[in-house]
Amino acid sequence: MPKFAQIVMGPAGSGKSTYCAMLEEHFRALKRRCFIVNFDPAAENFKYSVTVDVRELVQLEDVMEDEDLKFGPNGGLIFCMEYVMKNLEWLRDNLEAQDDDYFIFDCPGQIELYTHLPAMKQLTETLQSWDFRVCGVFLVDAQFLGDPSKFVSGVLSSLSCMVNLEIPHISIMSKLDLLPKRSKKQIRKYLDPDMIAIADSEESQSSYHSRKFSNLTRVICELIDDYGMVRFLPLDRSDEDSIDIILQNIDMSLQYGEDLEVQDKDFDQDLPESTE
């Protein structure tokens, strides 16, 4: 039987660790097991139980303090991730993954790791070679998606990640519980958006100097709308159903429980017909 993994991604401050903690609690309520991997060499505090901690292999602070390397925060984090990729056997040994195990990877918030650098692509391909079914989960903070231009930017970030990693992908609009009620109602139109209407809205709000980019914005919106590439699921800590709906979508992408469902179906077929 396969193993399963969520790769939790998104910009810094988008709520990745909070999402992982919510999942851990939800799994516990469902009487399911999950194992959370801290994949961020710069992480400090955790709201969840850590099964594997990449900082045991390499820490950003140590890399930045190394007088020979002389890296800043961004270069140091990229160095750390490349170092992890060169030592993936360490990860495999520490995962100790068994059939049907479900892992959640809490990843760094440096967006270029997912959009064009090879590290995360190498991770997903390696996990797949270890018989993992992998799903990418990309979080965007709802507080920064309140106007059309920012929303399109968030969609493009999620889309870039999806295209680069080439794995099943779920986009999540996080922190809806932090929005005022009025803003929450307004932003829900972006969950399943009319991209053409968004393009029209952006064009109407554009200044004279930015209108020369309106055609490009419209083409991008039409492309996203034509292929239905990005749709957001809401994550609201005040709504218990939101995390359940998200997990259902991810499980469907991972085909989690497929073997069990087949067994149940076969069992039902073997039952004798009622004589009533």
Side-chain angles (χ1 to χ4, degrees):
M1 293 180 65
K3 299 168 279 286
F4 305 90
Q6 291 187 33
I7 309 298
V8 182
M9 305 165 285
S14 58
K16 297 183 294 297
S17 295
T18 300
Y19 165 78
C20 291
M22 291 178 65
L23 267 186
E24 181 182 44
E25 183 177 343
H26 192 63
F27 267 72
R28 191 179 297 116
L30 296 175
K31 297 182 179 179
R32 287 172 54 179
R33 288 199 313 166
C34 68
F35 306 96
I36 304 182
V37 179
N38 171 46
F39 214 63
D40 185 356
E44 295 180 355
N45 301 310
F46 303 104
K47 301 177 181 178
Y48 50 77
S49 303
V50 179
T51 301
V52 179
D53 190 348
V54 76
R55 297 177 307 168
E56 295 177 3
L57 177 66
V58 61
Q59 294 191 46
L60 176 60
E61 184 178 358
D62 293 339
V63 171
M64 291 176 60
E65 291 177 352
D66 190 300
E67 295 183 358
D68 294 327
L69 296 175
K70 297 181 180 179
F71 282 122
N74 292 333
L77 186 56
I78 293 173
F79 175 88
C80 288
M81 299 310 295
E82 291 176 344
Y83 184 81
V84 174
M85 294 307 109
K86 293 177 182 178
N87 293 273
L88 285 173
E89 283 304 314
W90 174 90
L91 177 63
R92 186 172 192 174
D93 293 341
N94 281 269
L95 288 177
E96 298 180 341
Q98 305 295 320
D99 288 347
D100 211 35
D101 280 350
Y102 201 118
F103 289 86
I104 301 166
F105 287 74
D106 186 6
C107 298
Q110 195 165 3
I111 197 67
E112 56 263 39
L113 291 173
Y114 318 111
T115 57
H116 60 276
L117 293 177
M120 299 307 294
K121 171 102 172 152
Q122 185 179 347
L123 171 66
T124 58
E125 291 177 343
T126 301
L127 288 173
Q128 289 171 327
S129 73
W130 295 344
D131 201 24
F132 275 85
R133 293 178 183 172
V134 183
C135 178
V137 180
F138 191 88
L139 278 72
V140 180
D141 188 342
Q143 298 174 99
F144 298 102
L145 297 179
D147 62 69
S149 60
K150 291 180 181 178
F151 176 77
V152 172
S153 178
V155 168
L156 290 177
S157 296
S158 182
L159 181 59
S160 178
C161 173
M162 184 193 310
V163 171
N164 182 46
L165 297 185
E166 297 181 306
I167 57 176
H169 186 95
I170 301 292
S171 299
I172 296 176
M173 189 181 294
S174 63
K175 301 187 179 181
L176 262 70
D177 51 293
L178 300 182
L179 296 176
K181 289 184 178 180
R182 181 178 179 181
S183 298
K184 188 182 295 187
K185 289 181 180 179
Q186 291 177 344
I187 206 165
R188 285 190 176 274
K189 67 183 179 181
Y190 292 119
L191 295 176
D192 190 12
D194 181 344
M195 298 303 298
I196 305 304
I198 289 175
D200 291 340
S201 175
E202 176 67 10
E203 185 174 355
S204 66
Q205 297 176 18
S206 297
S207 66
Y208 173 78
H209 294 291
S210 63
R211 283 176 186 167
K212 62 181 180 180
F213 298 107
S214 62
N215 288 336
L216 175 60
T217 302
R218 174 169 290 277
V219 169
I220 292 172
C221 289
E222 288 176 352
L223 176 66
I224 295 169
D225 192 65
D226 287 345
Y227 290 91
M229 291 178 171
V230 179
R231 293 292 183 272
F232 286 93
L233 295 175
L235 179 60
D236 186 337
R237 295 186 67 181
S238 64
D239 182 1
E240 295 181 2
D241 291 336
S242 69
I243 190 67
D244 189 53
I245 292 171
I246 288 170
L247 183 57
Q248 288 177 21
N249 278 268
I250 295 170
D251 283 349
M252 188 179 301
S253 298
L254 291 171
Q255 297 179 305
Y256 177 82
E258 184 181 66
D259 296 333
L260 179 60
E261 290 173 4
V262 171
Q263 291 172 7
D264 290 344
K265 182 178 179 181
D266 292 341
F267 178 75
D268 292 339
Q269 289 175 347
D270 292 338
L271 290 174
E273 295 183 1
S274 173
T275 57
E276 295 182 1

